[in-house]
Amino acid sequence: MASDPKPTVDFDETFGKLDIRLGKVLSAELEPSAPKKSYRLKIDFGKYGVRSSVGRFTQHTPEELIGKQVMGVLNFEPRQIGDVRSDVLVIGIQFKGAESGEATPVTPMLEGKLGSKLF
């Protein structure tokens, strides 16, 4: 029998508190002030506005990211990364074969309405 990787938690007290929404990447450029190679992304979340995120998605070219729909956590405290305030945590997974922290963003199989909630 397989064991849970982490202890079981209550949905309403954990996942239910996160506001994870669908956005579309408008721009992606290297952020030179970040401590590790990262992109500064501008992401349109529909009625939730355009927000900034700094993330380590640099195994992709900016052209690969621009226009992609991604999932982002909108209700985390903003983080200062280098000289930039990162308003959104874009959800990603480890990029295969890359160093720890290098990611590829989680994207939907079909396009959805910007601002749609992940559930």
Side-chain angles (χ1 to χ4, degrees):
M1 181 167 140
S3 62
D4 291 335
K6 293 189 177 185
T8 301
V9 296
D10 179 77
F11 177 88
D12 291 328
E13 292 300 315
T14 55
F15 189 79
K17 288 185 176 183
L18 297 177
D19 191 11
I20 303 173
R21 304 264 174 189
L22 183 66
K24 183 177 183 177
V25 178
L26 301 176
S27 66
E29 54 189 54
L30 282 174
E31 178 47 55
S33 68
K36 294 186 178 184
K37 187 176 177 185
S38 301
Y39 284 134
R40 178 178 25 167
L41 307 175
K42 291 286 185 194
I43 305 167
D44 182 1
F45 287 95
K47 68 180 182 180
Y48 300 96
V50 175
R51 309 225 182 164
S52 295
S53 182
V54 176
R56 295 186 59 209
F57 301 105
T58 55
Q59 295 293 320
H60 296 285
T61 65
E63 294 77 23
E64 287 177 298
L65 294 169
I66 295 170
K68 290 287 187 211
Q69 289 192 326
V70 297
M71 303 304 302
V73 181
L74 301 188
N75 65 332
F76 280 155
E77 287 286 330
R79 291 182 61 198
Q80 192 70 31
I81 301 177
D83 296 335
V84 178
R85 178 180 141 152
S86 186
D87 301 315
V88 174
L89 172 68
V90 174
I91 297 173
I93 60 169
Q94 180 71 35
F95 193 99
K96 185 178 181 180
E99 69 177 68
S100 179
E102 286 285 336
T104 186
V106 172
T107 61
M109 290 177 67
L110 300 172
E111 279 201 19
K113 181 180 176 186
L114 297 183
S116 295
K117 184 167 177 60
L118 177 72
F119 58 89

